[in-house]
Amino acid sequence: MQIFLAKTAGFCFGVNRAVEAVYDHAKSGSHKTVTLGPIIHNQEVVNDLMSKGIGIVNALHEIDDPEVTVILRTHGVGKKIYEILKERNLQYEDLACPFVKKIHHIVERHFKDGWQIVIIGDALHPEIIGINGWCEHQAVILNNIEDCKLFPSFEPQKRTCVVAQTTINREKWDFVTNFLKNTCTNIEFFDTICSATNERQTEAAEIAKKVDVMFVVGDKNSSNTGKLFEICKKHCEKSFLFDTAKEMPVLDLSNFSVGITAGASTPASIIKEVIETMEEQLGQEGQELSFADLFENSLVILNTGEVVTGTVIRVTETEVFVDLGFKSDGLIRAGELTDDPAIRPKDFVQLGDKIEVFVIRVDDGEGNVLLSKKKVDAIKGWKDV
Ligand code: SF4
């Protein structure tokens, strides 16, 4: 059996950041913390956090303890939620993904200027409900072109601003935007599909095309996992979606090639269990697989002196941390960002930014990859001379 594990399987940067922050709250144990809705679509993680004292509320009116800290999850929330938090003087940590917050800003700005807002996506998804909350819930929400009929308020002649749910597939975006281009007279499109989603879906399709069996690991309630499964099924008839290793279908895979991908809310521990279960099944037949090998193979390989692109995952007063898809995070010290010592990291980059960096050292002795942004700019400068 040959196994292809997607490099993009598992937590995206937004989910990773949120889950880590909630675990930090659980560890500190200083005061009561609740998430507004489950932090991610993964029951195992949610149960684990609950066992560590993190509660869940579905609405702010369920909170009667003024000392509680409310965690806003990656999906983001509408403007009204921030107003209520302020009115009630509740402490909160906003872990809405920066990519989702960018959509809130686009929608709020255009709505204020009198534009009609169109959101492409699933009207019932919390991310869309949150986005709609930045235009007084007046958006026209299209999951397909027939949905236009559900919105008598839709005015094709009005100035129209179009955004997308971050996890929709590109085919849907192309299909609906083509229809809108031919229908509306004055329209501006903001392609807000998250690049992590795009990369995950593209890689899943590529793997699904070449394997006999495709496993999609993730929660069935997760929108991005569901879409990933749809894509895999299109290219590989024998595609299976399951939450954990326990639900994995029992198949004789000894003569098959198997692809594995996972949704953005699937922790590495569950992917590991799936591979280990396959390992056990095949071990009985005298074949060997090593999770460590597969995991290592699924990671990006870095070399000193390379220029690579990563995503900004944390910014402090003196450092910027970058996800490179490598086993360790990258670190840019303030002095390696720019030649201008007056510029602080927070003024230079924001969470979720894509950034091109030069690899100074793959391991700084403390498990970080040392990076430089100013070296990339210098290289570009030399090329331009
Ligand atoms: S927008 Fe992208 S990076 Fe952010 S939480 Fe969603 S899938 Fe993850």
Side-chain angles (χ1 to χ4, degrees):
M1 178 175 71
Q2 230 188 333
I3 295 187
F4 298 90
L5 173 61
K7 289 184 198 305
T8 48
F11 281 3
C12 61
F13 112 89
V15 169
N16 197 39
R17 167 177 165 262
V19 171
E20 276 184 6
V22 182
Y23 272 104
D24 284 348
H25 275 263
K27 260 187 243 151
S28 76
S30 51
H31 51 260
K32 207 169 158 195
T33 303
V34 297
T35 61
L36 187 55
I39 187 71
I40 56 170
H41 286 301
N42 188 285
Q43 205 50 47
E44 291 225 343
V45 174
V46 169
N47 290 346
D48 188 45
L49 283 166
M50 281 172 79
S51 74
K52 293 177 165 58
I54 303 292
I56 303 177
V57 293
N58 292 311
L60 293 178
H61 65 73
E62 292 171 30
I63 301 172
D64 44 25
D65 179 353
E67 297 296 310
V68 95
T69 299
V70 183
I71 302 279
L72 303 179
R73 58 187 178 168
T74 52
H75 293 133
V77 293
K79 197 175 179 179
K80 186 80 191 152
I81 297 288
Y82 293 97
E83 288 170 2
I84 298 173
L85 286 164
K86 221 170 165 186
E87 272 164 30
R88 293 192 50 193
N89 209 14
L90 285 169
Q91 284 195 54
Y92 67 94
E93 185 170 1
D94 189 358
L95 295 174
C97 180
F99 296 144
V100 177
K101 292 198 78 142
K102 190 172 146 193
I103 306 177
H104 295 168
H105 295 144
I106 294 170
V107 167
E108 186 185 29
R109 197 176 70 237
H110 283 79
F111 184 71
K112 262 190 198 152
D113 289 347
W115 293 60
Q116 167 173 251
I117 306 294
V118 171
I119 311 171
I120 303 176
D122 173 2
L124 300 178
H125 192 277
E127 180 187 314
I128 299 293
I129 295 169
I131 295 170
N132 204 5
W134 290 89
C135 57
E136 296 173 13
H137 297 278
Q138 302 286 314
V140 172
I141 304 170
L142 306 178
N143 213 6
N144 54 56
I145 55 177
E146 273 76 45
D147 286 350
C148 277
K149 294 181 201 137
L150 303 174
F151 289 91
S153 58
F154 179 55
E155 294 177 70
Q157 69 289 354
K158 198 169 172 187
R159 282 188 309 168
T160 302
C161 159
V162 184
V163 296
Q165 182 176 347
T166 53
T167 48
I168 64 164
N169 67 47
R170 188 142 297 283
E171 268 178 36
K172 178 175 286 182
W173 168 263
D174 290 343
F175 188 67
V176 179
T177 53
N178 273 338
F179 160 78
L180 291 171
K181 267 179 216 158
N182 295 324
T183 312
C184 300
T185 41
N186 188 352
I187 191 156
E188 195 167 340
F189 295 99
F190 294 87
D191 178 351
T192 51
I193 301 176
C194 159
S195 60
T197 304
N198 223 345
E199 284 159 21
R200 184 190 310 271
Q201 292 176 349
T202 306
E203 191 189 19
E206 277 164 15
I207 296 177
K209 277 180 204 163
K210 66 181 178 188
V211 295
D212 302 310
V213 177
M214 190 75 197
F215 286 161
V216 181
V217 190
D219 194 299
K220 294 185 184 80
N221 294 321
S222 152
S223 152
N224 80 82
T225 306
K227 279 167 195 139
L228 208 53
F229 177 61
E230 259 174 46
I231 291 168
C232 291
K233 189 80 181 160
K234 204 165 145 195
H235 298 290
C236 175
E237 185 46 38
K238 287 195 178 68
S239 290
F240 299 91
L241 168 61
F242 51 90
D243 305 22
T244 63
K246 283 187 213 120
E247 280 95 48
M248 192 171 103
V250 180
L251 302 167
D252 177 6
L253 297 169
S254 44
N255 295 317
F256 291 108
S257 54
V258 183
I260 303 172
T261 186
S265 327
T266 309
S269 58
I270 292 183
I271 305 171
K272 182 173 182 259
E273 265 172 31
V274 167
I275 296 170
E276 283 172 350
T277 306
M278 292 165 76
E279 189 176 10
E280 275 164 31
Q281 289 172 0
L282 289 170
Q284 290 160 8
E285 292 156 29
Q287 299 189 44
E288 275 186 23
L289 280 171
S290 150
F291 172 73
D293 291 348
L294 276 171
F295 192 65
E296 286 285 324
N297 291 343
S298 78
L299 294 167
V300 168
I301 296 168
L302 284 183
N303 296 302
T304 300
E306 252 184 320
V307 173
V308 290
T309 302
T311 307
V312 174
I313 52 172
R314 190 148 67 93
V315 185
T316 69
E317 283 303 312
T318 53
E319 294 162 330
V320 174
F321 290 84
V322 181
D323 175 21
L324 300 164
F326 189 61
K327 57 188 169 192
S328 325
D329 290 336
L331 169 67
I332 315 174
R333 299 216 164 93
E336 287 297 334
L337 266 181
T338 149
D339 281 325
D340 185 345
I343 293 183
R344 295 176 313 159
K346 283 187 177 164
D347 304 328
F348 198 78
V349 285
Q350 291 189 339
L351 284 179
D353 282 358
K354 289 276 176 202
I355 186 166
E356 254 193 315
V357 285
F358 178 92
V359 180
I360 302 173
R361 210 175 318 142
V362 177
D363 188 346
D364 67 351
E366 290 178 9
N368 295 309
V369 183
L370 279 192
L371 304 171
S372 173
K373 169 76 177 84
K374 70 179 189 188
K375 275 207 170 65
V376 173
D377 297 336
I379 293 168
K380 282 189 180 155
W382 299 330
K383 283 186 182 158
D384 291 344
V385 174

